Amino acid sequence: MLVIGSDHGGYELKKSILELLRKRGVNCADFGTDGSDSVDYPDYAAKVASAVSSGEAELGILICGTGIGMSISANKFPGVRAALVHDDFTAQMAREHNNANILVMGGRVLTPDQGKRLVEIWYDAKYEGGRHQKRLDKISVIEQRVINH
Ligand code: RB5
């Protein structure tokens, strides 16, 4: 299952992404926001990131104005690898090298077509494992060290 959330700055792009995901038959849940009224991005980052962190969802997508606040917030959650992407290359690498389980984008940075394209690239890409796994393991070690501090 894939969960998606945005603040007001990402609301319009979220609508386009949901349309794409539903067209592709992806099992997804929309965690809001549900309109263009101003809200606080950490609230929506927490909903999506805690679902991914707990294993309730396999993947997540977060969108705010720039994507910066969402990525900072989501990466506080254990096991979350949230990647802010801007172009085809970063979307592909986010999955192939970083095995990013949350894709983050800026609704005020990308056009709807660009955003949909980045979602398709990330969603369809495959994690390469191998040498990259050693690096993800090191991230987990850092995470455990911080949790136990
Ligand atoms: C909201 O105005 C804006 O700050 C937010 O969407 C995001 O860009 C924060 O990183």
mmCIF file with all atom_site columns, all heavy atoms in Angstrom, residues 4-23:
data_model
loop_
_atom_site.group_PDB
_atom_site.id
_atom_site.type_symbol
_atom_site.label_atom_id
_atom_site.label_alt_id
_atom_site.label_comp_id
_atom_site.label_asym_id
_atom_site.label_entity_id
_atom_site.label_seq_id
_atom_site.pdbx_PDB_ins_code
_atom_site.Cartn_x
_atom_site.Cartn_y
_atom_site.Cartn_z
_atom_site.occupancy
_atom_site.B_iso_or_equiv
_atom_site.pdbx_formal_charge
_atom_site.auth_seq_id
_atom_site.auth_comp_id
_atom_site.auth_asym_id
_atom_site.auth_atom_id
_atom_site.pdbx_PDB_model_num
ATOM 1   N N   . ILE A 1 4  ? -0.234 8.850  0.764   1.00 0.00 ? 4  ILE A N   1
ATOM 2   C CA  . ILE A 1 4  ? 0.182  10.147 0.215   1.00 0.00 ? 4  ILE A CA  1
ATOM 3   C C   . ILE A 1 4  ? -0.382 11.270 1.070   1.00 0.00 ? 4  ILE A C   1
ATOM 4   O O   . ILE A 1 4  ? -1.493 11.162 1.594   1.00 0.00 ? 4  ILE A O   1
ATOM 5   C CB  . ILE A 1 4  ? -0.269 10.270 -1.274  1.00 0.00 ? 4  ILE A CB  1
ATOM 6   C CG1 . ILE A 1 4  ? 0.223  11.572 -1.898  1.00 0.00 ? 4  ILE A CG1 1
ATOM 7   C CG2 . ILE A 1 4  ? -1.764 10.105 -1.440  1.00 0.00 ? 4  ILE A CG2 1
ATOM 8   C CD1 . ILE A 1 4  ? 0.083  11.620 -3.430  1.00 0.00 ? 4  ILE A CD1 1
ATOM 9   N N   . GLY A 1 5  ? 0.409  12.325 1.229   1.00 0.00 ? 5  GLY A N   1
ATOM 10  C CA  . GLY A 1 5  ? -0.058 13.476 1.994   1.00 0.00 ? 5  GLY A CA  1
ATOM 11  C C   . GLY A 1 5  ? 0.602  14.743 1.489   1.00 0.00 ? 5  GLY A C   1
ATOM 12  O O   . GLY A 1 5  ? 1.670  14.705 0.868   1.00 0.00 ? 5  GLY A O   1
ATOM 13  N N   . SER A 1 6  ? -0.054 15.864 1.762   1.00 0.00 ? 6  SER A N   1
ATOM 14  C CA  . SER A 1 6  ? 0.508  17.159 1.362   1.00 0.00 ? 6  SER A CA  1
ATOM 15  C C   . SER A 1 6  ? 0.022  18.237 2.312   1.00 0.00 ? 6  SER A C   1
ATOM 16  O O   . SER A 1 6  ? -0.928 18.025 3.065   1.00 0.00 ? 6  SER A O   1
ATOM 17  C CB  . SER A 1 6  ? 0.052  17.526 -0.062  1.00 0.00 ? 6  SER A CB  1
ATOM 18  O OG  . SER A 1 6  ? -1.285 18.003 -0.038  1.00 0.00 ? 6  SER A OG  1
ATOM 19  N N   . ASP A 1 7  ? 0.673  19.401 2.238   1.00 0.00 ? 7  ASP A N   1
ATOM 20  C CA  . ASP A 1 7  ? 0.092  20.590 2.859   1.00 0.00 ? 7  ASP A CA  1
ATOM 21  C C   . ASP A 1 7  ? -0.602 21.376 1.741   1.00 0.00 ? 7  ASP A C   1
ATOM 22  O O   . ASP A 1 7  ? -0.761 20.866 0.608   1.00 0.00 ? 7  ASP A O   1
ATOM 23  C CB  . ASP A 1 7  ? 1.153  21.396 3.629   1.00 0.00 ? 7  ASP A CB  1
ATOM 24  C CG  . ASP A 1 7  ? 2.137  22.132 2.712   1.00 0.00 ? 7  ASP A CG  1
ATOM 25  O OD1 . ASP A 1 7  ? 2.080  21.929 1.474   1.00 0.00 ? 7  ASP A OD1 1
ATOM 26  O OD2 . ASP A 1 7  ? 2.961  22.898 3.233   1.00 0.00 ? 7  ASP A OD2 1
ATOM 27  N N   . HIS A 1 8  ? -0.998 22.613 2.035   1.00 0.00 ? 8  HIS A N   1
ATOM 28  C CA  . HIS A 1 8  ? -1.696 23.425 1.028   1.00 0.00 ? 8  HIS A CA  1
ATOM 29  C C   . HIS A 1 8  ? -0.799 23.693 -0.189  1.00 0.00 ? 8  HIS A C   1
ATOM 30  O O   . HIS A 1 8  ? -1.292 23.787 -1.306  1.00 0.00 ? 8  HIS A O   1
ATOM 31  C CB  . HIS A 1 8  ? -2.175 24.734 1.655   1.00 0.00 ? 8  HIS A CB  1
ATOM 32  C CG  . HIS A 1 8  ? -1.086 25.484 2.364   1.00 0.00 ? 8  HIS A CG  1
ATOM 33  N ND1 . HIS A 1 8  ? -0.525 25.041 3.547   1.00 0.00 ? 8  HIS A ND1 1
ATOM 34  C CD2 . HIS A 1 8  ? -0.416 26.627 2.050   1.00 0.00 ? 8  HIS A CD2 1
ATOM 35  C CE1 . HIS A 1 8  ? 0.417  25.887 3.934   1.00 0.00 ? 8  HIS A CE1 1
ATOM 36  N NE2 . HIS A 1 8  ? 0.500  26.855 3.039   1.00 0.00 ? 8  HIS A NE2 1
ATOM 37  N N   . GLY A 1 9  ? 0.520  23.798 0.048   1.00 0.00 ? 9  GLY A N   1
ATOM 38  C CA  . GLY A 1 9  ? 1.454  24.082 -1.052  1.00 0.00 ? 9  GLY A CA  1
ATOM 39  C C   . GLY A 1 9  ? 1.599  22.919 -2.017  1.00 0.00 ? 9  GLY A C   1
ATOM 40  O O   . GLY A 1 9  ? 2.076  23.084 -3.139  1.00 0.00 ? 9  GLY A O   1
ATOM 41  N N   . GLY A 1 10 ? 1.188  21.726 -1.569  1.00 0.00 ? 10 GLY A N   1
ATOM 42  C CA  . GLY A 1 10 ? 1.310  20.547 -2.426  1.00 0.00 ? 10 GLY A CA  1
ATOM 43  C C   . GLY A 1 10 ? -0.028 19.958 -2.819  1.00 0.00 ? 10 GLY A C   1
ATOM 44  O O   . GLY A 1 10 ? -0.083 18.933 -3.511  1.00 0.00 ? 10 GLY A O   1
ATOM 45  N N   . TYR A 1 11 ? -1.103 20.630 -2.391  1.00 0.00 ? 11 TYR A N   1
ATOM 46  C CA  . TYR A 1 11 ? -2.442 20.055 -2.584  1.00 0.00 ? 11 TYR A CA  1
ATOM 47  C C   . TYR A 1 11 ? -2.782 19.811 -4.059  1.00 0.00 ? 11 TYR A C   1
ATOM 48  O O   . TYR A 1 11 ? -3.278 18.746 -4.421  1.00 0.00 ? 11 TYR A O   1
ATOM 49  C CB  . TYR A 1 11 ? -3.480 20.970 -1.919  1.00 0.00 ? 11 TYR A CB  1
ATOM 50  C CG  . TYR A 1 11 ? -4.891 20.534 -2.163  1.00 0.00 ? 11 TYR A CG  1
ATOM 51  C CD1 . TYR A 1 11 ? -5.353 19.313 -1.676  1.00 0.00 ? 11 TYR A CD1 1
ATOM 52  C CD2 . TYR A 1 11 ? -5.775 21.331 -2.897  1.00 0.00 ? 11 TYR A CD2 1
ATOM 53  C CE1 . TYR A 1 11 ? -6.662 18.890 -1.913  1.00 0.00 ? 11 TYR A CE1 1
ATOM 54  C CE2 . TYR A 1 11 ? -7.071 20.926 -3.135  1.00 0.00 ? 11 TYR A CE2 1
ATOM 55  C CZ  . TYR A 1 11 ? -7.508 19.707 -2.643  1.00 0.00 ? 11 TYR A CZ  1
ATOM 56  O OH  . TYR A 1 11 ? -8.798 19.307 -2.885  1.00 0.00 ? 11 TYR A OH  1
ATOM 57  N N   . GLU A 1 12 ? -2.509 20.797 -4.909  1.00 0.00 ? 12 GLU A N   1
ATOM 58  C CA  . GLU A 1 12 ? -2.874 20.650 -6.328  1.00 0.00 ? 12 GLU A CA  1
ATOM 59  C C   . GLU A 1 12 ? -2.082 19.510 -6.979  1.00 0.00 ? 12 GLU A C   1
ATOM 60  O O   . GLU A 1 12 ? -2.634 18.700 -7.714  1.00 0.00 ? 12 GLU A O   1
ATOM 61  C CB  . GLU A 1 12 ? -2.635 21.965 -7.099  1.00 0.00 ? 12 GLU A CB  1
ATOM 62  C CG  . GLU A 1 12 ? -3.661 23.047 -6.794  1.00 0.00 ? 12 GLU A CG  1
ATOM 63  C CD  . GLU A 1 12 ? -5.103 22.633 -7.122  1.00 0.00 ? 12 GLU A CD  1
ATOM 64  O OE1 . GLU A 1 12 ? -5.319 21.908 -8.115  1.00 0.00 ? 12 GLU A OE1 1
ATOM 65  O OE2 . GLU A 1 12 ? -6.014 23.035 -6.357  1.00 0.00 ? 12 GLU A OE2 1
ATOM 66  N N   . LEU A 1 13 ? -0.792 19.460 -6.677  1.00 0.00 ? 13 LEU A N   1
ATOM 67  C CA  . LEU A 1 13 ? 0.019  18.384 -7.266  1.00 0.00 ? 13 LEU A CA  1
ATOM 68  C C   . LEU A 1 13 ? -0.435 17.030 -6.722  1.00 0.00 ? 13 LEU A C   1
ATOM 69  O O   . LEU A 1 13 ? -0.469 16.040 -7.461  1.00 0.00 ? 13 LEU A O   1
ATOM 70  C CB  . LEU A 1 13 ? 1.523  18.619 -7.001  1.00 0.00 ? 13 LEU A CB  1
ATOM 71  C CG  . LEU A 1 13 ? 2.473  17.565 -7.572  1.00 0.00 ? 13 LEU A CG  1
ATOM 72  C CD1 . LEU A 1 13 ? 2.268  17.358 -9.079  1.00 0.00 ? 13 LEU A CD1 1
ATOM 73  C CD2 . LEU A 1 13 ? 3.936  17.943 -7.299  1.00 0.00 ? 13 LEU A CD2 1
ATOM 74  N N   . LYS A 1 14 ? -0.809 16.980 -5.446  1.00 0.00 ? 14 LYS A N   1
ATOM 75  C CA  . LYS A 1 14 ? -1.289 15.709 -4.873  1.00 0.00 ? 14 LYS A CA  1
ATOM 76  C C   . LYS A 1 14 ? -2.508 15.194 -5.653  1.00 0.00 ? 14 LYS A C   1
ATOM 77  O O   . LYS A 1 14 ? -2.617 13.995 -5.905  1.00 0.00 ? 14 LYS A O   1
ATOM 78  C CB  . LYS A 1 14 ? -1.632 15.871 -3.388  1.00 0.00 ? 14 LYS A CB  1
ATOM 79  C CG  . LYS A 1 14 ? -2.212 14.580 -2.767  1.00 0.00 ? 14 LYS A CG  1
ATOM 80  C CD  . LYS A 1 14 ? -2.199 14.588 -1.241  1.00 0.00 ? 14 LYS A CD  1
ATOM 81  C CE  . LYS A 1 14 ? -3.117 15.563 -0.610  1.00 0.00 ? 14 LYS A CE  1
ATOM 82  N NZ  . LYS A 1 14 ? -4.560 15.257 -0.730  1.00 0.00 ? 14 LYS A NZ  1
ATOM 83  N N   . LYS A 1 15 ? -3.391 16.112 -6.031  1.00 0.00 ? 15 LYS A N   1
ATOM 84  C CA  . LYS A 1 15 ? -4.585 15.686 -6.786  1.00 0.00 ? 15 LYS A CA  1
ATOM 85  C C   . LYS A 1 15 ? -4.181 15.014 -8.102  1.00 0.00 ? 15 LYS A C   1
ATOM 86  O O   . LYS A 1 15 ? -4.724 13.982 -8.480  1.00 0.00 ? 15 LYS A O   1
ATOM 87  C CB  . LYS A 1 15 ? -5.495 16.896 -7.073  1.00 0.00 ? 15 LYS A CB  1
ATOM 88  C CG  . LYS A 1 15 ? -6.308 17.321 -5.862  1.00 0.00 ? 15 LYS A CG  1
ATOM 89  C CD  . LYS A 1 15 ? -7.512 18.171 -6.246  1.00 0.00 ? 15 LYS A CD  1
ATOM 90  C CE  . LYS A 1 15 ? -7.118 19.495 -6.806  1.00 0.00 ? 15 LYS A CE  1
ATOM 91  N NZ  . LYS A 1 15 ? -8.233 20.449 -6.970  1.00 0.00 ? 15 LYS A NZ  1
ATOM 92  N N   . SER A 1 16 ? -3.217 15.625 -8.795  1.00 0.00 ? 16 SER A N   1
ATOM 93  C CA  . SER A 1 16 ? -2.755 15.043 -10.072 1.00 0.00 ? 16 SER A CA  1
ATOM 94  C C   . SER A 1 16 ? -2.100 13.688 -9.853  1.00 0.00 ? 16 SER A C   1
ATOM 95  O O   . SER A 1 16 ? -2.298 12.747 -10.632 1.00 0.00 ? 16 SER A O   1
ATOM 96  C CB  . SER A 1 16 ? -1.732 15.949 -10.752 1.00 0.00 ? 16 SER A CB  1
ATOM 97  O OG  . SER A 1 16 ? -2.265 17.211 -10.971 1.00 0.00 ? 16 SER A OG  1
ATOM 98  N N   . ILE A 1 17 ? -1.309 13.584 -8.775  1.00 0.00 ? 17 ILE A N   1
ATOM 99  C CA  . ILE A 1 17 ? -0.599 12.326 -8.505  1.00 0.00 ? 17 ILE A CA  1
ATOM 100 C C   . ILE A 1 17 ? -1.604 11.225 -8.158  1.00 0.00 ? 17 ILE A C   1
ATOM 101 O O   . ILE A 1 17 ? -1.471 10.080 -8.615  1.00 0.00 ? 17 ILE A O   1
ATOM 102 C CB  . ILE A 1 17 ? 0.420  12.504 -7.342  1.00 0.00 ? 17 ILE A CB  1
ATOM 103 C CG1 . ILE A 1 17 ? 1.435  13.607 -7.635  1.00 0.00 ? 17 ILE A CG1 1
ATOM 104 C CG2 . ILE A 1 17 ? 1.107  11.179 -6.999  1.00 0.00 ? 17 ILE A CG2 1
ATOM 105 C CD1 . ILE A 1 17 ? 2.345  13.391 -8.803  1.00 0.00 ? 17 ILE A CD1 1
ATOM 106 N N   . LEU A 1 18 ? -2.609 11.571 -7.378  1.00 0.00 ? 18 LEU A N   1
ATOM 107 C CA  . LEU A 1 18 ? -3.628 10.573 -7.007  1.00 0.00 ? 18 LEU A CA  1
ATOM 108 C C   . LEU A 1 18 ? -4.358 10.047 -8.241  1.00 0.00 ? 18 LEU A C   1
ATOM 109 O O   . LEU A 1 18 ? -4.646 8.860  -8.351  1.00 0.00 ? 18 LEU A O   1
ATOM 110 C CB  . LEU A 1 18 ? -4.633 11.189 -6.026  1.00 0.00 ? 18 LEU A CB  1
ATOM 111 C CG  . LEU A 1 18 ? -4.246 11.060 -4.556  1.00 0.00 ? 18 LEU A CG  1
ATOM 112 C CD1 . LEU A 1 18 ? -5.117 11.968 -3.694  1.00 0.00 ? 18 LEU A CD1 1
ATOM 113 C CD2 . LEU A 1 18 ? -4.372 9.610  -4.078  1.00 0.00 ? 18 LEU A CD2 1
ATOM 114 N N   . GLU A 1 19 ? -4.635 10.969 -9.163  1.00 0.00 ? 19 GLU A N   1
ATOM 115 C CA  . GLU A 1 19 ? -5.298 10.586 -10.416 1.00 0.00 ? 19 GLU A CA  1
ATOM 116 C C   . GLU A 1 19 ? -4.446 9.552  -11.158 1.00 0.00 ? 19 GLU A C   1
ATOM 117 O O   . GLU A 1 19 ? -4.942 8.519  -11.622 1.00 0.00 ? 19 GLU A O   1
ATOM 118 C CB  . GLU A 1 19 ? -5.421 11.853 -11.274 1.00 0.00 ? 19 GLU A CB  1
ATOM 119 C CG  . GLU A 1 19 ? -6.660 11.945 -12.115 1.00 0.00 ? 19 GLU A CG  1
ATOM 120 C CD  . GLU A 1 19 ? -6.648 13.296 -12.812 1.00 0.00 ? 19 GLU A CD  1
ATOM 121 O OE1 . GLU A 1 19 ? -6.034 13.385 -13.904 1.00 0.00 ? 19 GLU A OE1 1
ATOM 122 O OE2 . GLU A 1 19 ? -7.208 14.254 -12.251 1.00 0.00 ? 19 GLU A OE2 1
ATOM 123 N N   . LEU A 1 20 ? -3.143 9.832  -11.223 1.00 0.00 ? 20 LEU A N   1
ATOM 124 C CA  . LEU A 1 20 ? -2.200 8.931  -11.901 1.00 0.00 ? 20 LEU A CA  1
ATOM 125 C C   . LEU A 1 20 ? -2.158 7.573  -11.198 1.00 0.00 ? 20 LEU A C   1
ATOM 126 O O   . LEU A 1 20 ? -2.234 6.519  -11.846 1.00 0.00 ? 20 LEU A O   1
ATOM 127 C CB  . LEU A 1 20 ? -0.805 9.559  -11.903 1.00 0.00 ? 20 LEU A CB  1
ATOM 128 C CG  . LEU A 1 20 ? 0.349  8.622  -12.256 1.00 0.00 ? 20 LEU A CG  1
ATOM 129 C CD1 . LEU A 1 20 ? 0.410  8.394  -13.764 1.00 0.00 ? 20 LEU A CD1 1
ATOM 130 C CD2 . LEU A 1 20 ? 1.683  9.166  -11.770 1.00 0.00 ? 20 LEU A CD2 1
ATOM 131 N N   . LEU A 1 21 ? -2.036 7.594  -9.876  1.00 0.00 ? 21 LEU A N   1
ATOM 132 C CA  . LEU A 1 21 ? -1.902 6.336  -9.127  1.00 0.00 ? 21 LEU A CA  1
ATOM 133 C C   . LEU A 1 21 ? -3.163 5.487  -9.288  1.00 0.00 ? 21 LEU A C   1
ATOM 134 O O   . LEU A 1 21 ? -3.085 4.271  -9.461  1.00 0.00 ? 21 LEU A O   1
ATOM 135 C CB  . LEU A 1 21 ? -1.641 6.627  -7.647  1.00 0.00 ? 21 LEU A CB  1
ATOM 136 C CG  . LEU A 1 21 ? -0.295 7.293  -7.333  1.00 0.00 ? 21 LEU A CG  1
ATOM 137 C CD1 . LEU A 1 21 ? -0.247 7.724  -5.864  1.00 0.00 ? 21 LEU A CD1 1
ATOM 138 C CD2 . LEU A 1 21 ? 0.870  6.365  -7.645  1.00 0.00 ? 21 LEU A CD2 1
ATOM 139 N N   . ARG A 1 22 ? -4.306 6.136  -9.226  1.00 0.00 ? 22 ARG A N   1
ATOM 140 C CA  . ARG A 1 22 ? -5.565 5.385  -9.353  1.00 0.00 ? 22 ARG A CA  1
ATOM 141 C C   . ARG A 1 22 ? -5.712 4.825  -10.761 1.00 0.00 ? 22 ARG A C   1
ATOM 142 O O   . ARG A 1 22 ? -6.161 3.695  -10.932 1.00 0.00 ? 22 ARG A O   1
ATOM 143 C CB  . ARG A 1 22 ? -6.750 6.266  -8.952  1.00 0.00 ? 22 ARG A CB  1
ATOM 144 C CG  . ARG A 1 22 ? -6.731 6.476  -7.447  1.00 0.00 ? 22 ARG A CG  1
ATOM 145 C CD  . ARG A 1 22 ? -7.839 7.318  -6.887  1.00 0.00 ? 22 ARG A CD  1
ATOM 146 N NE  . ARG A 1 22 ? -7.702 7.384  -5.420  1.00 0.00 ? 22 ARG A NE  1
ATOM 147 C CZ  . ARG A 1 22 ? -7.960 8.451  -4.689  1.00 0.00 ? 22 ARG A CZ  1
ATOM 148 N NH1 . ARG A 1 22 ? -8.410 9.552  -5.245  1.00 0.00 ? 22 ARG A NH1 1
ATOM 149 N NH2 . ARG A 1 22 ? -7.804 8.422  -3.381  1.00 0.00 ? 22 ARG A NH2 1
ATOM 150 N N   . LYS A 1 23 ? -5.290 5.607  -11.759 1.00 0.00 ? 23 LYS A N   1
ATOM 151 C CA  . LYS A 1 23 ? -5.322 5.130  -13.147 1.00 0.00 ? 23 LYS A CA  1
ATOM 152 C C   . LYS A 1 23 ? -4.431 3.902  -13.307 1.00 0.00 ? 23 LYS A C   1
ATOM 153 O O   . LYS A 1 23 ? -4.745 2.977  -14.038 1.00 0.00 ? 23 LYS A O   1
ATOM 154 C CB  . LYS A 1 23 ? -4.847 6.255  -14.088 1.00 0.00 ? 23 LYS A CB  1
ATOM 155 C CG  . LYS A 1 23 ? -5.438 6.166  -15.476 1.00 0.00 ? 23 LYS A CG  1
ATOM 156 C CD  . LYS A 1 23 ? -4.929 7.275  -16.386 1.00 0.00 ? 23 LYS A CD  1
ATOM 157 C CE  . LYS A 1 23 ? -5.499 8.651  -16.046 1.00 0.00 ? 23 LYS A CE  1
ATOM 158 N NZ  . LYS A 1 23 ? -4.887 9.729  -16.839 1.00 0.00 ? 23 LYS A NZ  1
#
